[in-house]
Amino acid sequence: TNHGAGLNLRGLGQRATLVLVNGRRLAPSGSGSFVDISLIPLSAVERVDILPDGASAIYGSDAVGGVVNFILRDGAAPPETGLLVGATSDGGGTQIHASQSLGGQWGSGNALLAYEYRREDEVRATQREGVIGLQPGTFLLPRETRHSLLGTLEQEISGGLRAGVT
């Protein structure tokens, strides 16, 4: 799909901003035009680091606009549950967002699993005032449903050597 949420630092386009997760590059979504950050469950994110200057000297031409690095929570983080429900007074556009993250750690490693469900109902032209010249069945916003699942596993192999999978 070409729909999603991309990052555009410095107004140079989404392809000029490098998106990382825990310091590793993400592959572009859909047609390869940008990385869809809305696929990363928010309950899995600990913080977001932004490097707007000098990034291309380190990361190359993929980072002319800058670098955004999503740092994920580790298994030591407590479980987190989230729920958001929203509606409009004019009808349409009802939103439901639900998320859950669970983690665990043991002596030599940790794991995290995060899931997010998102549904946004359509908004029809007839549900908004001031929309002129559109057919009655026209959608201003389509219905969208998204499921996101992210898992990480990190294990110490020996003497400070660690292996991880995201």
Side-chain angles (χ1 to χ4, degrees):
T1 181
N2 287 327
H3 303 288
L7 293 168
N8 182 4
L9 298 179
R10 302 202 182 280
L12 298 174
Q14 297 170 342
R15 292 182 184 180
T17 301
L18 180 62
V19 178
L20 306 173
V21 171
N22 289 343
R24 295 180 183 93
R25 292 175 187 249
L26 280 180
S29 303
S31 63
S33 59
F34 66 96
V35 173
D36 184 2
I37 62 167
S38 67
L39 294 176
I40 302 170
L42 191 56
S43 62
V45 177
E46 179 180 318
R47 72 177 191 274
V48 179
D49 295 337
I50 298 174
L51 178 62
D53 295 323
S56 63
I58 299 168
Y59 294 101
S61 64
D62 289 348
V64 170
V67 176
V68 178
N69 187 13
F70 289 87
I71 306 298
L72 302 179
R73 299 169 38 167
D74 63 17
E80 182 178 285
T81 302
L83 178 64
L84 172 99
V85 178
T88 64
S89 59
D90 292 336
T94 302
Q95 299 177 350
I96 298 174
H97 297 216
S99 63
Q100 179 68 55
S101 68
L102 300 169
Q105 70 177 33
W106 50 96
S108 58
N110 64 72
L112 174 74
L113 185 64
Y115 170 75
E116 185 174 86
Y117 169 78
R118 178 178 154 213
R119 189 189 87 207
E120 295 182 8
D121 290 337
E122 68 273 356
V123 176
R124 296 178 183 269
T126 55
Q127 294 173 312
R128 297 297 180 263
E129 291 182 21
V131 178
I132 300 170
L134 294 178
Q135 297 294 326
T138 302
F139 292 106
L140 299 176
L141 293 172
R143 171 177 264 213
E144 183 177 355
T145 302
R146 177 174 295 175
H147 299 272
S148 299
L149 180 66
L150 184 134
T152 65
L153 173 66
E154 189 173 290
Q155 178 67 45
E156 182 174 351
I157 297 172
S158 69
L161 179 63
R162 300 183 75 81
V165 175
T166 301

